[in-house]
Amino acid sequence: MTPVSPKFLVIVVAAWIIVKDVLNGVRVSSNALCAPNADANLARLLLPNKDSSSSSNPPTNPPTEQAVQLPIAQSFIPDSSTGKIFRGEKLRDFSLPRATLGKTSQSNEPLPFENDFTDKCTKWGVVTTIFDPTEAISRVSNLPEWCLVVVADTKTPTDYMEKFKNSLGGNTESTFFFSVERQKEWEKLDGPLGAFVRTMPWRHFGRKNLGYLFAILHGAEYFFDFD
């Protein structure tokens, strides 16, 4: 048997200590990110500690796994995920005067109504996609007393509605396919509506906003936003 040199043993032991420390750090980080205040813990792990970095003296009590998971009074990452289950509770009211859209609108701006959908539904699903129709979109189209607007983009298949109806059984009576051509017609409108449409970039998720406007224009009071 070839004898093992002391130098080689030192290298192996050092490597084992480093790997052990790294794995222990991963375990601590994972536990912190699974905690209810995960966003704050993530910030603590990633952002430098201004208090400790400004001092040359090491802390008296080094951080431990328990210390990492202690609650933080204020998150370093505002407006991120809350970690709470969505309950659909009303959070705020709109107290200003409301503009009226629909056939009773007093606006001088010409509004692009689709007669087949005007005041047809008060509950609307809104989706934008560049892919073929899905089972989820078909199911929403078949919900009783619901309408659906599908906002197309430049990459959306041109035979979308054909596949939607023939392959998935989508309800075309309650579904409006907001085609690229129709959206370009909206871009030519005078007034605030046309100006807003022209600000929406193509090949962008923001085009879903046009779906909201379409639904509101045709009587929507409730939205189901989904992908």
Side-chain angles (χ1 to χ4, degrees), residues 108-182:
N108 294 325
E109 180 181 1
L111 298 175
F113 294 108
E114 298 289 338
N115 291 329
D116 291 342
F117 289 90
T118 300
D119 298 325
K120 183 173 184 176
C121 300
T122 58
K123 295 177 286 189
W124 280 78
V126 180
V127 65
T128 184
T129 182
I130 60 173
F131 302 108
D132 285 333
T134 64
E135 182 66 27
I137 295 177
S138 175
R139 289 185 179 184
V140 172
S141 74
N142 285 289
L143 290 174
E145 300 180 358
W146 280 76
C147 288
L148 171 66
V149 54
V150 179
V151 184
D153 208 332
T154 54
K155 291 185 177 182
T156 306
T158 55
D159 59 347
Y160 184 93
M161 289 303 286
E162 181 180 347
K163 296 177 180 177
F164 177 71
K165 179 180 179 180
N166 297 332
S167 300
L168 294 173
N171 185 353
T172 57
E173 296 295 323
S174 63
T175 303
F176 180 75
F177 181 70
F178 205 167
S179 66
V180 170
E181 293 73 21
R182 192 72 177 98

Side-chain angles (χ1 to χ4, degrees), residues 122-126 146 149 211-217 220-226:
T122 58
K123 295 177 286 189
W124 280 78
V126 180
W146 280 76
V149 54
Y212 301 137
L213 287 176
F214 181 91
I216 292 172
L217 185 65
E221 297 179 7
Y222 304 92
F223 289 113
F224 174 43
D225 177 291
F226 71 108

Side-chain angles (χ1 to χ4, degrees), residues 7-120:
K7 183 177 180 181
F8 177 78
L9 289 177
V10 170
I11 294 174
V12 171
V13 172
W16 178 81
I17 293 174
I18 293 173
V19 171
K20 180 181 178 182
D21 289 343
V22 170
L23 292 178
N24 185 59
V26 171
R27 181 171 62 86
V28 173
S29 301
S30 301
N31 289 338
L33 296 180
C34 291
N37 54 328
D39 59 338
N41 286 327
L42 177 61
R44 173 179 282 184
L45 291 170
L46 298 181
L47 299 178
N49 189 318
K50 294 182 179 180
D51 295 334
S52 61
S53 61
S54 61
S55 174
S56 59
N57 297 325
T60 304
N61 297 318
T64 63
E65 178 174 342
Q66 182 179 5
V68 173
Q69 297 188 60
L70 288 176
I72 299 178
Q74 184 175 3
S75 172
F76 286 93
I77 310 178
D79 301 325
S80 62
S81 174
T82 62
K84 298 179 181 179
I85 298 176
F86 175 73
R87 300 185 184 279
E89 298 174 352
K90 186 176 181 180
L91 298 179
R92 60 182 66 90
D93 290 312
F94 182 79
S95 57
L96 299 176
R98 295 176 180 269
T100 303
L101 290 179
K103 289 299 184 182
T104 60
S105 174
Q106 302 300 316
S107 173
N108 294 325
E109 180 181 1
L111 298 175
F113 294 108
E114 298 289 338
N115 291 329
D116 291 342
F117 289 90
T118 300
D119 298 325
K120 183 173 184 176

